[in-house]
Amino acid sequence: MNEFELCPRFEKTVAILSQRWTALILYQLMAGPQRFCTMTDKLGVSGKTLSERLKDLEQRDFVIRNVYPETPVRIEYSLTAKGMSLTPIMKEIENWSKTWIEQEEVAEQK
């Protein structure tokens, strides 16, 4: 029998991405730089939670916070190269969901 050993790096990655709202925030930022209020509106996440997740993603180098010294000050969040490198993975999850999640929902309705 083959013994399966969980890769610690994979486990850590899944732990990061499975934090509530984290994957959705990253997915939203794949569209380009966005302001805080735009993300709260589009995602339906509370400001407190979004703030916490963005700070965590900044510390992990997935997201960068850009401050523009205008009046009023404009702050935008965007993906770093590390964050952008998740794009093909997120797109594959999106493709998978289009095939399998819809089928499950149809089966659940019966």
Side-chain angles (χ1 to χ4, degrees):
M1 177 193 297
N2 283 340
E3 182 121 356
F4 177 76
E5 188 174 323
L6 186 61
C7 171
R9 289 180 179 184
F10 179 82
E11 185 177 12
K12 182 66 177 174
T13 302
V14 170
I16 292 167
L17 293 177
S18 65
Q19 280 186 301
R20 186 163 170 88
W21 298 105
T22 298
L24 295 175
I25 292 166
L26 292 169
Y27 184 80
Q28 182 66 36
L29 287 172
M30 285 171 31
Q34 298 193 28
R35 297 179 78 172
F36 188 90
C37 59
T38 302
M39 286 189 285
T40 56
D41 291 346
K42 289 193 176 200
L43 295 171
V45 62
S46 74
K48 179 183 177 202
T49 300
L50 181 59
S51 179
E52 289 171 0
R53 293 300 176 268
L54 286 169
K55 284 179 186 174
D56 182 55
L57 289 168
E58 279 183 85
Q59 289 175 346
R60 295 178 187 279
D61 193 34
F62 286 97
V63 170
I64 189 165
R65 180 178 186 258
N66 297 303
V67 180
Y68 299 94
E70 302 169 350
T71 305
V73 173
R74 181 170 51 104
I75 300 171
E76 289 183 342
Y77 295 87
S78 57
L79 294 175
T80 62
K82 183 178 178 180
M84 286 298 293
S85 70
L86 288 169
T87 299
I89 297 163
M90 300 294 260
K91 290 292 187 181
E92 279 303 312
I93 292 171
E94 179 182 37
N95 291 336
W96 179 89
S97 70
K98 288 177 182 176
T99 300
W100 295 101
I101 298 300
E102 291 175 354
Q103 289 179 3
E104 290 174 7
E105 290 174 357
V106 169
E108 288 174 2
Q109 290 177 354
K110 290 182 180 179

